[in-house]
Amino acid sequence: MSKITRRKFIDLTKSAILGGAAVAGTSAFISRKAESAVKRTDSNRPDSGEKVIPSYCDVCFMGCGINVTVRNGRAIKIAGNPDHPISRGKLCPRGTGGLGQLYDPDRLKTPLIRTNGFGSDRFKAVSWDEALKYVADKMKSIKEQYGPESLALLKHGKGADPFEKLWHAIGSETEGHPSYAQCRGARDIGWSLTFGKGPGGVERAGLDKAKVVAFIGSHLGENMHNVTVQDYTTGLRNGSKHIVVDPRYSTAASKANYWLQIKPGADIALLLAWMHVLIYEELYDKDFVEQYTIGFDLLKDHVENTTPEWASSYTGLEAVDIRQTARELGNAIPDSLLFPGRRFAWYGDDTQRARAMAIINGLLGAWGRESGIFLGDRIKVPDYPYPKVDHKAAHALDIKAKYPLGTSTPVQDIIEASIPGRYKGGYQNAPIKGWLVYSTNLVRSVPNPELLAEAAQHLDLLVVVETMPSEITGFADVILPDTTYLERYDNMNAPEWREPFVSIRQPVVKPLYQSKPSWWIAKELANRLGVGGTFNFGDFGEVIDYQLRQMGSSLEDINQKGGVLKKAYSKPSMKFSTSSKKVEFYSKKLESAGYDPMPRFQKHPAPPNDYFRLLYGRVPQHTFTRTSNNAMLLEVYPENSVWVHPEIAAVLNLRDGDYTVLKNEKGVKSNRIRVRVTKRIRQDCVYIAHGFGRSDRRLSKAFEKGADDNGLLTEYSLDPIMGSTGSQINFVTFV
Ligand SMILES: Nc1nc2c(c(=O)[nH]1)N[C@H]1C(S)=C(S)[C@@H](COP(=O)(O)OP(=O)(O)OC[C@H]3O[C@@H](n4cnc5c(=O)[nH]c(N)nc54)[C@H](O)[C@@H]3O)O[C@H]1N2
Ligand SMILES: Nc1nc2c(c(=O)[nH]1)N[C@H]1C(S)=C(S)[C@@H](COP(=O)(O)OP(=O)(O)OC[C@H]3O[C@@H](n4cnc5c(=O)[nH]c(N)nc54)[C@H](O)[C@@H]3O)O[C@H]1N2
Ligand code: SF4
Ligand SMILES: [Mo]
């Protein structure tokens, strides 16, 4: 195989798509082709008249039920499905704006292959057949030369399921997703070590019923997870008291009874002090602790000296406030909880922070309560009779040796293992040779993107399945245009919830341009890789219909029922699948793997002179880099700004609304970004929303609007337990 040391990021300063005119000008030809594809995928959809088609949203990963109004084959409105337990007739701004995704004229329209010519890289528009053959041939030769596990799948979302199936069929389980080590992996593992289970993909928090809730960072209201925000506002309306711990005066802080403006990185100190007060003032749930937990006495000794006074110097909070808020939580038992949070990749002690939060919920007896962390029930979706794969899939890395308590592979491990000699502890020759990237913009979601750029130089194959041009497609050899969620079937959604349900995702309109659904792409690749039998269906609608029929329904039936099937909630029993079958305040599992059995506070470095800690988060109108080119959402939020405290702004002569540029300690500069002077941020931090400062010119609306946080995250502190990349340790200054 030729070692192609090219793969410069193709930023489209010139017209870098060969045959670009053909792409733009062949719509008639394309739509005829698309039409025949639609005959198969979309045969039950009429072409005219107005119709409301139920499905579920994919602008983020909450799975809200939507009703899409379609007129003459064109989707004209997305509304919340009133019968759906996760949306209850309401959507967040992003869900409503989903049409901006579907009808974005900048969408990828045809398969593209990288070519080397005219002294620089270009993409050439090719047919599906040519693109699929190219990918399959490369995959085959990589597989033969290095083994199937040298092919890595990087992914996000339900659309990736068919690729996972393909990966197992060819014999690889080398897979990763930034929603693990860059998001909630640490949280889920910390909770599993404590309760035997995580708090759920849709967090099972009884925010509507609780009397007192504490939030550590979680910025609900900006973080727009629909049903969670609905329950949160219901709670507020019903008079529930909120304690928000955040260095920034977040929207949630503005609604709270207590705002603790903590020094960034000191949360574990606060949590240990809260434990101290709850235990030493006997404000914990004694029945729960007695019946369900182990290690209480050890925990009591562990937090004997972690008093509010002790925590005060680390957190910058008054001891009296720490004590008062702990008492609020303790006095509200059995109706108080600590919201589990979600994005956990903060400072590298993330699993231990999750443990501390879980332990407090144990002391409050919140697990299993309607007004706490309620237990979810689910409808089990029957398996489709896929043929059994007769071999065991292999992994390129001995990831269990590195992270014995981990549950997935951190993406940065896959990146490092794609560079010869880079992976710590071995693999001189880089065991990973090819990537297929599905719906994840790794350049913007994994810290130290320079390393990714380096990895791209060594790969023999980089395929990106995408809907939009993006930073990751800039590194691709082959780009395959996926349909959006409004043009395809995906697996059904059936999470654990207090109203168990199943909901369908289905095409509401025909695929635009030459885009193809992910299941079709995976199936066609499987055919060309000799594992076509794995995909023993013609159209993915057949799979859904089969599964529904096993449940006594059908595609037609569920459509008549508004796209959702429900069953009565049956409360699961209080069982804990930890080693001791109890809630573990003290974790022998952590201890025997060489980690602290109970969380311990460690100090994190403060910013050097003239530098500020870079914090980042969400705005209600956008999801990561998914929506940054969405016309409907750009109208309400066009670009991000950097929050700076007025005292700092005065010293640095920064005026509200002016553009500035950020630079980190390594000298990496951001794109220009507007200054927002506000007392809502601490003096030692700045804050920006994630997802902006896009660098691909094909994103005509988002290109260079605002600044990207991820490029500035050259450093991270690694969580030794599971590989979370704590990235809030980066410091920036103003240029
Ligand atoms: N710097 C920084 N890094 C972060 C975060 C942060 O706040 N700042 N947040 C972290 C968190 S919490 C998470 S969960 C991760 C998420 O990180 P990612 O998984 O990378 O984010 P997504 O938004 O899911 O993926 C974005 C890509 O999916 C494409 N896409 C959208 N819809 C489709 C589709 O239907 N099909 C296909 N094939 N592609 C599609 C979009 O065009 C976009 O390029 O990032 C983490 N990384
Ligand atoms: N609109 C919108 N909503 C989303 C998403 C989206 O893209 N757009 N993404 C969804 C996803 S996948 C995730 S994971 C969540 C992420 O959202 P959350 O899990 O709610 O929040 P985080 O990103 O962890 O934290 C951001 C908040 O923590 C504060 N913070 C920063 N440092 C510290 C610290 O040291 N201590 C404390 N106590 N607070 C600190 C910040 O000021 C900010 O308010 O959002 C979800 N909801
Ligand atoms: S929270 Fe908003 S973006 Fe996410 S699934 Fe629900 S409606 Fe869609
Ligand atoms: Mo996330």
Side-chain angles (χ1 to χ4, degrees):
M1 166 148 312
S2 66
K3 251 282 170 312
I4 329 165
T5 49
R6 55 332 180 211
R7 216 170 275 116
K8 267 189 289 174
F9 176 79
I10 303 187
D11 89 329
L12 298 177
T13 35
K14 301 143 225 126
S15 76
I17 297 183
L18 296 177
V23 177
T26 48
S27 54
F29 155 72
I30 289 166
S31 66
R32 226 185 326 111
K33 272 196 152 179
E35 202 129 356
S36 62
V38 166
K39 286 269 144 41
R40 275 177 283 123
T41 59
D42 208 20
S43 50
N44 55 344
R45 310 260 158 269
D47 280 328
S48 61
E50 198 165 291
K51 197 173 163 164
V52 175
I53 302 171
S55 191
Y56 69 89
C57 182
D58 197 39
V59 187
C60 84
F61 302 93
M62 280 292 98
C64 296
I66 53 175
N67 281 337
V68 188
T69 307
V70 179
R71 186 191 294 154
N72 297 324
R74 195 175 162 87
I76 54 168
K77 184 179 147 192
I78 303 179
N81 179 348
D83 292 330
H84 197 282
I86 299 288
S87 55
R88 306 166 183 157
K90 294 180 190 143
L91 297 178
C92 86
R94 302 165 296 152
T96 312
L99 295 180
Q101 260 16 25
L102 171 63
Y103 293 121
D104 191 329
D106 296 337
R107 268 179 66 176
L108 295 166
K109 298 179 178 75
T110 70
L112 299 169
I113 290 185
R114 176 183 292 263
T115 61
N116 284 109
F118 313 105
S120 75
D121 290 1
R122 292 283 193 277
F123 285 121
K124 182 174 77 165
V126 296
S127 68
W128 269 105
D129 197 50
E130 189 178 339
L132 291 165
K133 183 173 183 314
Y134 182 99
V135 174
D137 286 352
K138 286 266 181 177
M139 282 179 69
K140 254 190 248 165
S141 80
I142 293 172
K143 186 178 161 200
E144 273 155 29
Q145 205 176 338
Y146 305 104
E149 67 278 11
S150 63
L151 290 161
L153 173 64
L154 298 139
K155 62 192 169 96
H156 200 180
K158 280 259 194 315
D161 293 357
F163 288 98
E164 213 170 323
K165 191 157 276 309
L166 173 66
W167 244 240
H168 293 172
I170 62 170
S172 174
E173 60 168 20
T174 309
E175 296 176 5
H177 48 103
S179 46
Y180 174 67
Q182 284 71 45
C183 179
R184 64 188 178 95
R187 180 197 74 176
D188 291 350
I189 290 169
W191 279 64
S192 291
L193 287 164
T194 315
F195 293 110
K197 194 176 170 126
V202 183
E203 288 79 14
R204 302 186 312 277
L207 297 179
D208 51 340
K209 301 190 179 69
K211 297 211 171 90
V212 175
V213 191
F215 297 91
I216 307 293
S218 314
H219 54 326
L220 292 181
E222 291 159 292
N223 159 352
M224 275 310 280
H225 276 170
N226 186 4
V227 77
T228 315
V229 173
Q230 287 187 36
D231 287 347
Y232 157 87
T233 48
T234 304
L236 282 174
R237 236 180 287 123
N238 293 343
S240 82
K241 274 191 189 169
H242 286 181
I243 301 158
V244 169
V245 182
D246 198 311
R248 187 179 63 98
Y249 191 65
S250 61
T251 303
S254 74
K255 313 276 178 225
N257 303 70
Y258 299 89
W259 171 42
L260 303 183
Q261 194 180 26
I262 195 164
K263 247 184 223 164
D267 295 273
I268 293 180
L270 170 70
L271 295 164
L272 291 170
W274 276 353
M275 288 180 210
H276 172 92
V277 177
L278 293 173
I279 292 175
Y280 285 90
E281 296 193 9
E282 299 197 22
L283 290 172
Y284 59 94
D285 185 328
K286 289 190 184 133
D287 293 341
F288 185 94
V289 167
E290 184 144 322
Q291 195 178 349
Y292 297 118
T293 73
I294 57 156
F296 178 79
D297 293 337
L298 290 165
L299 179 68
K300 187 171 177 180
D301 289 347
H302 183 66
V303 299
E304 188 181 358
N305 300 316
T306 64
T307 59
E309 288 70 22
W310 165 84
S312 177
S313 66
Y314 299 116
T315 56
L317 304 171
E318 300 289 339
V320 50
D321 294 335
I322 298 176
R323 189 166 276 111
Q324 172 77 9
T325 44
R327 286 175 182 162
E328 288 279 8
L329 285 164
N331 285 325
I333 291 170
D335 295 310
S336 56
L337 81 139
L338 194 57
F339 184 71
R342 189 174 179 98
R343 189 178 65 80
F344 253 70
W346 283 10
Y347 302 97
D349 48 9
D350 303 315
T351 308
Q352 292 291 9
R353 190 173 79 257
R355 276 272 296 154
M357 290 170 70
I359 288 171
I360 290 184
N361 277 306
L363 291 170
L364 298 174
W367 186 269
R369 284 190 174 137
E370 287 286 288
S371 55
I373 306 298
F374 59 80
L375 301 179
D377 185 14
R378 78 176 341 151
I379 297 183
K380 186 164 175 342
V381 175
D383 291 334
Y384 180 79
Y386 290 114
K388 287 254 173 313
V389 176
D390 56 5
H391 53 261
K392 213 178 148 348
H395 199 300
L397 304 172
D398 190 358
I399 205 74
K400 275 282 162 204
K402 186 166 176 186
Y403 303 115
L405 304 178
T407 53
S408 181
T409 303
V411 173
Q412 75 275 6
D413 282 72
I414 292 179
I415 294 173
E416 287 167 14
S418 304
I419 305 170
R422 186 64 171 72
Y423 197 78
K424 284 195 194 76
Y427 305 121
Q428 279 314 303
N429 297 324
I432 296 175
K433 304 293 182 191
W435 295 0
L436 188 145
V437 180
Y438 180 87
S439 187
T440 171
N441 192 4
L442 304 175
V443 185
R444 291 305 173 86
S445 49
V446 182
N448 194 9
E450 286 270 296
L451 203 62
L452 185 150
E454 192 185 333
Q457 306 312 313
H458 295 281
L459 292 170
D460 290 343
L461 177 68
L462 206 175
V463 185
V464 179
V465 186
E466 255 286 358
T467 52
M468 295 298 295
S470 68
E471 286 71 19
I472 189 67
T473 62
F475 290 106
D477 296 310
V478 184
I479 304 172
L480 304 176
D482 193 9
T483 50
T484 66
Y485 68 104
L486 295 167
E487 303 157 287
R488 64 168 190 256
Y489 287 109
D490 274 335
N491 274 323
M492 290 185 281
N493 189 32
E496 283 191 0
W497 194 241
R498 51 188 167 192
E499 295 158 88
F501 70 92
V502 187
S503 74
I504 50 164
R505 176 171 293 149
Q506 58 183 336
V508 302
V509 293
K510 299 166 178 182
L512 294 180
Y513 317 110
Q514 287 189 44
S515 69
K516 296 283 190 186
S518 53
W519 61 262
W520 182 92
I521 304 171
K523 185 174 187 296
E524 290 293 320
L525 279 176
N527 288 338
R528 288 165 177 79
L529 286 162
V531 290
T534 316
F535 293 79
N536 53 346
F537 57 85
D539 177 293
F540 203 68
E542 288 168 29
V543 174
I544 311 290
D545 191 53
Y546 175 91
Q547 291 174 311
L548 286 167
R549 282 180 192 280
Q550 302 306 299
M551 301 160 74
S553 174
S554 66
L555 252 181
E556 200 183 330
D557 176 66
I558 197 171
N559 267 303
Q560 271 160 13
K561 295 187 167 119
V564 203
L565 300 179
K566 291 184 249 187
K567 72 159 195 170
Y569 174 76
S570 133
K571 189 176 174 179
S573 57
M574 290 281 275
K575 279 201 192 125
F576 302 98
S577 56
T578 53
S579 321
S580 62
K581 307 286 173 230
K582 295 264 186 185
V583 178
E584 299 195 351
F585 289 154
Y586 187 98
S587 168
K588 288 220 169 90
K589 206 167 173 179
L590 276 171
E591 187 177 43
S592 49
Y595 307 112
D596 282 332
M598 289 177 291
R600 205 175 285 287
F601 172 64
Q602 71 187 76
K603 258 183 97 167
H604 299 290
N609 279 345
D610 301 330
Y611 279 84
F612 307 89
R613 187 183 301 276
L614 176 64
L615 300 179
Y616 46 92
R618 313 283 174 243
V619 284
Q621 302 86 349
H622 288 278
T623 307
F624 316 117
T625 57
R626 308 194 132 224
T627 56
S628 34
N629 203 58
N630 182 318
M632 292 172 77
L633 299 174
L634 282 171
E635 209 168 292
V636 279
Y637 192 96
E639 65 183 87
N640 60 354
S641 54
V642 55
W643 294 32
V644 188
H645 192 275
E647 283 168 20
I648 304 299
V651 172
L652 299 178
N653 204 15
L654 295 166
R655 276 171 317 185
D656 195 64
D658 280 0
Y659 278 108
T660 184
V661 168
L662 302 173
K663 187 174 81 173
N664 76 3
E665 288 180 287
K666 283 270 165 74
V668 175
K669 287 186 191 163
S670 74
N671 186 40
R672 66 175 200 162
I673 180 169
R674 279 192 200 278
V675 174
R676 174 169 175 185
V677 179
T678 172
K679 281 191 191 151
R680 292 173 62 184
I681 184 84
R682 284 172 59 100
Q683 286 90 336
D684 57 358
C685 308
V686 295
Y687 178 82
I688 70 178
H690 171 58
F692 294 85
R694 306 299 303 273
S695 55
D696 194 311
R697 275 174 205 273
R698 290 170 293 176
L699 298 166
S700 62
K701 298 176 285 289
F703 179 64
E704 292 193 342
K705 291 275 165 55
D708 161 39
D709 57 339
N710 201 55
L712 298 167
L713 308 182
T714 46
E715 307 299 311
Y716 59 81
S717 171
L718 189 74
D719 186 326
I721 300 175
M722 50 62 72
S724 169
T725 50
S727 305
Q728 296 184 182
I729 61 157
N730 288 274
F731 305 123
V732 294
T733 188
F734 294 86
V735 179

PDB file of all heavy atoms in Angstrom, residues 61 156 178-180 182-184 225 342-344 618 624, ligand 4:
ATOM      1  N   PHE A  61     -28.842  14.668  21.323  1.00  0.00           N
ATOM      2  CA  PHE A  61     -29.049  13.227  21.492  1.00  0.00           C
ATOM      3  C   PHE A  61     -30.080  12.868  22.554  1.00  0.00           C
ATOM      4  O   PHE A  61     -30.070  11.785  23.098  1.00  0.00           O
ATOM      5  CB  PHE A  61     -27.693  12.566  21.719  1.00  0.00           C
ATOM      6  CG  PHE A  61     -26.782  12.845  20.558  1.00  0.00           C
ATOM      7  CD1 PHE A  61     -25.924  13.929  20.576  1.00  0.00           C
ATOM      8  CD2 PHE A  61     -26.882  12.082  19.409  1.00  0.00           C
ATOM      9  CE1 PHE A  61     -25.143  14.231  19.465  1.00  0.00           C
ATOM     10  CE2 PHE A  61     -26.108  12.379  18.295  1.00  0.00           C
ATOM     11  CZ  PHE A  61     -25.242  13.450  18.329  1.00  0.00           C
ATOM     12  N   HIS A 156     -20.704   9.027  16.413  1.00  0.00           N
ATOM     13  CA  HIS A 156     -21.643   9.602  17.376  1.00  0.00           C
ATOM     14  C   HIS A 156     -23.063   9.392  16.858  1.00  0.00           C
ATOM     15  O   HIS A 156     -23.340   9.639  15.694  1.00  0.00           O
ATOM     16  CB  HIS A 156     -21.374  11.101  17.571  1.00  0.00           C
ATOM     17  CG  HIS A 156     -21.931  11.665  18.849  1.00  0.00           C
ATOM     18  ND1 HIS A 156     -21.798  12.984  19.202  1.00  0.00           N
ATOM     19  CD2 HIS A 156     -22.616  11.081  19.865  1.00  0.00           C
ATOM     20  CE1 HIS A 156     -22.383  13.199  20.375  1.00  0.00           C
ATOM     21  NE2 HIS A 156     -22.883  12.053  20.810  1.00  0.00           N
ATOM     22  N   PRO A 178     -16.199  10.704  20.993  1.00  0.00           N
ATOM     23  CA  PRO A 178     -15.884  11.785  21.946  1.00  0.00           C
ATOM     24  C   PRO A 178     -16.954  11.977  23.009  1.00  0.00           C
ATOM     25  O   PRO A 178     -16.704  12.658  24.003  1.00  0.00           O
ATOM     26  CB  PRO A 178     -15.769  13.036  21.070  1.00  0.00           C
ATOM     27  CG  PRO A 178     -16.111  12.650  19.704  1.00  0.00           C
ATOM     28  CD  PRO A 178     -16.302  11.184  19.611  1.00  0.00           C
ATOM     29  N   SER A 179     -18.126  11.388  22.823  1.00  0.00           N
ATOM     30  CA  SER A 179     -19.122  11.510  23.879  1.00  0.00           C
ATOM     31  C   SER A 179     -18.761  10.631  25.087  1.00  0.00           C
ATOM     32  O   SER A 179     -19.501  10.591  26.068  1.00  0.00           O
ATOM     33  CB  SER A 179     -20.510  11.164  23.343  1.00  0.00           C
ATOM     34  OG  SER A 179     -20.463   9.990  22.581  1.00  0.00           O
ATOM     35  N   TYR A 180     -17.601   9.974  25.031  1.00  0.00           N
ATOM     36  CA  TYR A 180     -17.118   9.193  26.183  1.00  0.00           C
ATOM     37  C   TYR A 180     -16.052   9.996  26.958  1.00  0.00           C
ATOM     38  O   TYR A 180     -16.367  10.653  27.937  1.00  0.00           O
ATOM     39  CB  TYR A 180     -16.578   7.850  25.676  1.00  0.00           C
ATOM     40  CG  TYR A 180     -15.921   6.980  26.714  1.00  0.00           C
ATOM     41  CD1 TYR A 180     -16.667   6.413  27.742  1.00  0.00           C
ATOM     42  CD2 TYR A 180     -14.553   6.702  26.673  1.00  0.00           C
ATOM     43  CE1 TYR A 180     -16.061   5.610  28.704  1.00  0.00           C
ATOM     44  CE2 TYR A 180     -13.944   5.891  27.610  1.00  0.00           C
ATOM     45  CZ  TYR A 180     -14.699   5.351  28.624  1.00  0.00           C
ATOM     46  OH  TYR A 180     -14.097   4.555  29.562  1.00  0.00           O
ATOM     47  N   GLN A 182     -14.532  12.701  26.313  1.00  0.00           N
ATOM     48  CA  GLN A 182     -14.661  14.156  26.284  1.00  0.00           C
ATOM     49  C   GLN A 182     -15.994  14.585  26.874  1.00  0.00           C
ATOM     50  O   GLN A 182     -16.294  15.765  26.929  1.00  0.00           O
ATOM     51  CB  GLN A 182     -14.542  14.667  24.838  1.00  0.00           C
ATOM     52  CG  GLN A 182     -13.110  14.683  24.306  1.00  0.00           C
ATOM     53  CD  GLN A 182     -12.551  13.293  24.058  1.00  0.00           C
ATOM     54  OE1 GLN A 182     -13.204  12.436  23.487  1.00  0.00           O
ATOM     55  NE2 GLN A 182     -11.326  13.057  24.507  1.00  0.00           N
ATOM     56  N   CYS A 183     -16.805  13.639  27.292  1.00  0.00           N
ATOM     57  CA  CYS A 183     -18.128  14.005  27.810  1.00  0.00           C
ATOM     58  C   CYS A 183     -18.462  13.229  29.072  1.00  0.00           C
ATOM     59  O   CYS A 183     -17.859  13.443  30.110  1.00  0.00           O
ATOM     60  CB  CYS A 183     -19.176  13.833  26.711  1.00  0.00           C
ATOM     61  SG  CYS A 183     -20.860  14.221  27.256  1.00  0.00           S
ATOM     62  N   ARG A 184     -19.379  12.269  28.981  1.00  0.00           N
ATOM     63  CA  ARG A 184     -19.939  11.725  30.206  1.00  0.00           C
ATOM     64  C   ARG A 184     -19.379  10.376  30.650  1.00  0.00           C
ATOM     65  O   ARG A 184     -19.911   9.756  31.572  1.00  0.00           O
ATOM     66  CB  ARG A 184     -21.462  11.657  30.097  1.00  0.00           C
ATOM     67  CG  ARG A 184     -22.002  10.726  29.041  1.00  0.00           C
ATOM     68  CD  ARG A 184     -23.512  10.936  28.938  1.00  0.00           C
ATOM     69  NE  ARG A 184     -24.117  10.120  27.931  1.00  0.00           N
ATOM     70  CZ  ARG A 184     -24.682   8.935  28.150  1.00  0.00           C
ATOM     71  NH1 ARG A 184     -24.705   8.416  29.353  1.00  0.00           N
ATOM     72  NH2 ARG A 184     -25.239   8.275  27.164  1.00  0.00           N
ATOM     73  N   HIS A 225     -31.196  20.513  27.118  1.00  0.00           N
ATOM     74  CA  HIS A 225     -31.813  19.186  27.062  1.00  0.00           C
ATOM     75  C   HIS A 225     -33.274  19.295  27.496  1.00  0.00           C
ATOM     76  O   HIS A 225     -33.587  19.511  28.667  1.00  0.00           O
ATOM     77  CB  HIS A 225     -31.026  18.199  27.907  1.00  0.00           C
ATOM     78  CG  HIS A 225     -29.858  17.633  27.166  1.00  0.00           C
ATOM     79  ND1 HIS A 225     -28.884  16.887  27.763  1.00  0.00           N
ATOM     80  CD2 HIS A 225     -29.531  17.701  25.851  1.00  0.00           C
ATOM     81  CE1 HIS A 225     -27.992  16.517  26.855  1.00  0.00           C
ATOM     82  NE2 HIS A 225     -28.359  17.002  25.691  1.00  0.00           N
ATOM     83  N   ARG A 342     -23.350  16.261  33.357  1.00  0.00           N
ATOM     84  CA  ARG A 342     -23.202  15.474  32.132  1.00  0.00           C
ATOM     85  C   ARG A 342     -21.788  15.565  31.546  1.00  0.00           C
ATOM     86  O   ARG A 342     -21.060  14.609  31.524  1.00  0.00           O
ATOM     87  CB  ARG A 342     -24.237  15.915  31.095  1.00  0.00           C
ATOM     88  CG  ARG A 342     -24.295  15.000  29.895  1.00  0.00           C
ATOM     89  CD  ARG A 342     -25.430  15.410  28.972  1.00  0.00           C
ATOM     90  NE  ARG A 342     -25.489  14.564  27.813  1.00  0.00           N
ATOM     91  CZ  ARG A 342     -26.301  13.524  27.677  1.00  0.00           C
ATOM     92  NH1 ARG A 342     -27.095  13.170  28.664  1.00  0.00           N
ATOM     93  NH2 ARG A 342     -26.312  12.820  26.570  1.00  0.00           N
ATOM     94  N   ARG A 343     -21.394  16.763  31.115  1.00  0.00           N
ATOM     95  CA  ARG A 343     -20.036  16.830  30.537  1.00  0.00           C
ATOM     96  C   ARG A 343     -19.051  16.846  31.694  1.00  0.00           C
ATOM     97  O   ARG A 343     -19.056  17.756  32.519  1.00  0.00           O
ATOM     98  CB  ARG A 343     -19.857  18.078  29.664  1.00  0.00           C
ATOM     99  CG  ARG A 343     -18.542  18.032  28.887  1.00  0.00           C
ATOM    100  CD  ARG A 343     -18.370  19.214  27.981  1.00  0.00           C
ATOM    101  NE  ARG A 343     -18.266  20.462  28.707  1.00  0.00           N
ATOM    102  CZ  ARG A 343     -17.173  20.922  29.303  1.00  0.00           C
ATOM    103  NH1 ARG A 343     -16.053  20.246  29.228  1.00  0.00           N
ATOM    104  NH2 ARG A 343     -17.184  22.072  29.950  1.00  0.00           N
ATOM    105  N   PHE A 344     -18.220  15.829  31.754  1.00  0.00           N
ATOM    106  CA  PHE A 344     -17.390  15.641  32.937  1.00  0.00           C
ATOM    107  C   PHE A 344     -15.907  15.861  32.703  1.00  0.00           C
ATOM    108  O   PHE A 344     -15.126  15.847  33.653  1.00  0.00           O
ATOM    109  CB  PHE A 344     -17.662  14.242  33.530  1.00  0.00           C
ATOM    110  CG  PHE A 344     -18.455  14.345  34.795  1.00  0.00           C
ATOM    111  CD1 PHE A 344     -19.776  14.732  34.750  1.00  0.00           C
ATOM    112  CD2 PHE A 344     -17.852  14.145  36.032  1.00  0.00           C
ATOM    113  CE1 PHE A 344     -20.503  14.895  35.926  1.00  0.00           C
ATOM    114  CE2 PHE A 344     -18.559  14.304  37.203  1.00  0.00           C
ATOM    115  CZ  PHE A 344     -19.899  14.681  37.151  1.00  0.00           C
ATOM    116  N   ARG A 618     -22.368  25.801  26.575  1.00  0.00           N
ATOM    117  CA  ARG A 618     -23.384  25.781  25.518  1.00  0.00           C
ATOM    118  C   ARG A 618     -24.131  27.099  25.412  1.00  0.00           C
ATOM    119  O   ARG A 618     -24.262  27.829  26.392  1.00  0.00           O
ATOM    120  CB  ARG A 618     -24.436  24.705  25.833  1.00  0.00           C
ATOM    121  CG  ARG A 618     -23.853  23.378  26.231  1.00  0.00           C
ATOM    122  CD  ARG A 618     -23.336  22.637  25.016  1.00  0.00           C
ATOM    123  NE  ARG A 618     -22.647  21.409  25.366  1.00  0.00           N
ATOM    124  CZ  ARG A 618     -21.352  21.197  25.105  1.00  0.00           C
ATOM    125  NH1 ARG A 618     -20.605  22.107  24.526  1.00  0.00           N
ATOM    126  NH2 ARG A 618     -20.787  20.045  25.423  1.00  0.00           N
ATOM    127  N   PHE A 624     -22.959  21.871  19.634  1.00  0.00           N
ATOM    128  CA  PHE A 624     -21.580  21.649  19.174  1.00  0.00           C
ATOM    129  C   PHE A 624     -21.359  22.362  17.832  1.00  0.00           C
ATOM    130  O   PHE A 624     -21.790  23.487  17.655  1.00  0.00           O
ATOM    131  CB  PHE A 624     -21.263  20.149  19.013  1.00  0.00           C
ATOM    132  CG  PHE A 624     -21.750  19.278  20.135  1.00  0.00           C
ATOM    133  CD1 PHE A 624     -22.702  18.291  19.933  1.00  0.00           C
ATOM    134  CD2 PHE A 624     -21.249  19.444  21.420  1.00  0.00           C
ATOM    135  CE1 PHE A 624     -23.141  17.489  20.969  1.00  0.00           C
ATOM    136  CE2 PHE A 624     -21.689  18.647  22.462  1.00  0.00           C
ATOM    137  CZ  PHE A 624     -22.630  17.668  22.239  1.00  0.00           C
TER     138      PHE A 624
HETATM  139 MO    MO B   4     -21.833  15.576  25.798  1.00  0.00          MO
END
